[in-house]
Amino acid sequence: MTKQRSEIEEKYQWDLTTIFPTDEAWEGELAALQADVEKTAGFAGHLLDSAKSLLEISETQLELMRRMETLYVYASMKNDQDTREGKYQEFQAKALGLYSALSQAFAFYEPEFLEATEEQLAAFMEEEPALQQYSHQFEKLLAGKKHVLSQEVEEVLAATSEVFDAPSETFSVLDNASIRFPEVTNEEGELVPLSHGSYISFMESSNRAVRQEAYEGLYSTYEQFQHTYAKTLQANVKVNNLKARLRKYDSARHAALSANFIPESVYDTLVEAVNKHLPLLHRYINLRKKLLGIDDLKMYDMYTPLSDVDYKFTYEDALAKAADTLTIFGDEYSAQVKEAFENRWIDVHENEGKRSGAYSGGAYDTNAFMLLNWQDTLDNLYTLIHETGHSLHSMFTRKNQPYVYGHYSIFLAEIASTTNENILTEKLLSEVEDDKTRFAILNHYLDGFRGTVFRQTQFAEFEQAIYKADQESQVLTAEFLNNLYSEINEKYYGLSAEENPQIQFEWARIPHFYYNFYVYQYATGFAAASALSHKIVHGSPEDKEHYLAYLKAGSSDYPLNVIKKAGVDMTKEDYLNDAFKVFEARLTELEALVEKGVHL
């Protein structure tokens, strides 16, 4: 049974007192920041008065945003640890309200800044050398000049940010705090509660009846609420399409990718490359069908391990394995891992009301915290090392970049985390002493590749399709979304939509569809990580140095330039094809082990 938070040992809870010692301290900073935001009222109209005014106003904005970020992170993470608590829902709402006020207070900044000429900015930087560290930031602002609106319109958009966030917030409350799944039968024949956190464990069960009951129980709940989920998703799509149209982008995807200076061709190349390699996925699924001895393979059979090797890890064992694996990066990296693992950066176990899934979070001035919902599985070891990759990326960036460049592009975010996963696979395969364990690791890798490259690209294809449909005035009803999703799913897996009716509701449970063209980066990140991990494990010391430099770069250069310096050119298809070569080689190795009878 899922525990209450009060029943979780303190050592397994993140220590948010390192951000604010008490809730009262947070409330005090909220009031202080509100007062300081109000003091900026006289800035509008004076940004370009002089080099000094540009510096003063720019640095004031950054300082207030830095404090705002810390304030929001505390409220958000307090809410995530138990989404049922009204107090922290209120904290988060207050933080979002203040963020909206802060954005509104500086809505003048970009329109005024974009009135500057290159000659004027050059003269200002010569007169005030402290401005020079902002040269890349200024360059990025100028690149988006045609998408910045008048000050009046910018103020309106800033003031409505809470309204625009409503679909995502509604989904979060509905999915994490409101809906309840039925009880299902576990492998011991006991009726137990089904939850977001336990669902994947049921899907990994070797008992097909257990898998089927949990699968049907989960999706029967989403079927019940499908029309509500359709409304929240449709509203979110409309918000992003509206904002893109107002800012004169071709589409919401164009706007989202432009924010990271990523050409849309990178997205299209991914979808095309994955579709070209779908026969590899079908080959793997046919092998799965053969190994499971199931003629009528269903979607709930996709996650159960093909191996019976009991490769489980307690949380403590996982910490030790992750720390050992990551020593490959050197002492500087390992010292940071030790700090994260020993000083309560991680919220480990599931509790009632806790946000589902896993993430790495925090602000520039806080620890890079991690949220988990721990289960003793190999998959959770990978989740731990994945989120550690995010957190270490964050800490290296924050320690080596000023606040203005202290956040890395989301396009680069999944590369560091997935590089860690790939290195873990390399290590496990290098340590294996018998064919059965090797079979289990290969199976896990192939399932991970399927879930990251193929599945996330499937999501990306669906996401692009629903945004395009909305642009073409198609109403995103539950029926439309169900049909579209089942068609794409059938193409990817080769499993009949008619024989897998529940999968049509899967779109309703995917939070990343509210992240505005985020999911494709899991797939591109995994493929880039495949190339980088090969260099780190098999390359020279310089390859590791280049990788650490990438971790430290933050947003001090354009994302594609940062990763190119680390050794991967993501404007070309080569890195994707190389990743599929690794997948095929490991699939071939698994097939050879099957021929040897290792699975029997």
Side-chain angles (χ1 to χ4, degrees), residues 304-462:
T304 184
L306 299 175
S307 166
D308 59 3
V309 173
D310 188 17
Y311 212 36
K312 290 183 177 292
F313 290 82
T314 66
Y315 176 64
E316 283 72 19
D317 289 342
L319 288 178
K321 176 60 71 176
D324 182 42
T325 299
L326 298 175
T327 58
I328 194 169
F329 291 115
D331 293 342
E332 185 181 10
Y333 196 99
S334 289
Q336 194 68 69
V337 171
K338 179 180 173 68
E339 183 178 347
F341 287 0
E342 295 183 358
N343 292 323
R344 292 179 58 199
W345 289 22
I346 308 175
D347 204 77
V348 182
H349 296 296
E350 183 181 13
N351 59 254
E352 285 288 345
K354 184 176 176 180
R355 172 176 166 156
S356 62
Y359 68 72
S360 168
Y364 186 82
D365 292 309
T366 76
N367 295 326
F369 295 98
M370 292 173 254
L371 180 141
L372 305 176
N373 281 274
W374 185 263
Q375 306 284 328
D376 288 344
T377 64
L378 178 63
D379 190 58
N380 272 241
L381 167 62
Y382 273 89
T383 298
L384 171 64
I385 210 164
H386 177 102
E387 300 305 337
T388 301
H390 282 308
S391 289
L392 271 287
H393 192 183
S394 296
M395 294 312 296
F396 274 112
T397 292
R398 293 166 191 168
K399 288 183 175 181
N400 290 278
Q401 295 296 334
Y403 178 73
V404 67
Y405 304 127
H407 306 80
Y408 44 79
S409 161
I410 60 172
F411 181 74
L412 299 179
E414 297 305 328
I415 296 175
S417 55
T418 315
T419 296
N420 279 13
E421 289 193 56
N422 277 270
I423 289 173
L424 175 61
T425 298
E426 291 264 10
K427 182 171 181 61
L428 294 176
L429 287 172
S430 72
E431 294 174 342
V432 67
E433 296 180 353
D434 65 278
D435 283 347
K436 281 189 175 294
T437 304
R438 189 170 192 85
F439 181 98
I441 297 166
L442 288 168
N443 169 210
H444 186 274
Y445 169 81
L446 293 169
D447 278 344
F449 192 106
R450 175 189 59 78
T452 305
V453 178
F454 287 111
R455 180 171 166 82
Q456 302 305 320
T457 304
Q458 173 193 353
F459 289 168
E461 194 168 338
F462 175 78

Side-chain angles (χ1 to χ4, degrees), residues 48 113-124 142 145:
L48 299 178
F113 177 84
L114 294 176
E115 292 176 6
T117 63
E118 291 185 12
E119 293 76 17
Q120 184 181 17
L121 287 175
F124 278 177
L142 289 172
K145 186 171 184 175

Side-chain angles (χ1 to χ4, degrees), residues 124-188:
F124 278 177
M125 282 191 274
E126 184 175 352
E127 180 183 342
E128 191 67 71
L131 284 169
Q132 291 175 10
Q133 74 166 320
Y134 304 115
S135 59
H136 180 60
Q137 178 69 5
F138 292 160
E139 183 180 67
K140 290 193 293 183
L141 288 175
L142 289 172
K145 186 171 184 175
K146 69 178 181 179
H147 304 294
V148 175
L149 307 175
S150 69
Q151 180 177 335
E152 182 180 1
V153 176
E154 290 290 348
E155 287 178 352
V156 171
L157 289 177
T160 57
S161 63
E162 287 182 90
V163 177
F164 285 161
D165 288 339
S168 176
E169 294 294 325
T170 302
F171 167 82
S172 180
V173 172
L174 174 63
D175 207 53
N176 292 299
S178 298
I179 65 169
R180 288 289 180 269
F181 300 112
E183 289 189 330
V184 294
T185 307
N186 65 14
E187 291 185 340
E188 287 72 42

Side-chain angles (χ1 to χ4, degrees), residues 222-234:
Y222 283 103
E223 180 178 12
Q224 181 183 353
F225 292 100
Q226 61 179 301
H227 301 292
T228 304
Y229 280 104
K231 281 296 182 184
T232 61
L233 184 56
Q234 177 181 245

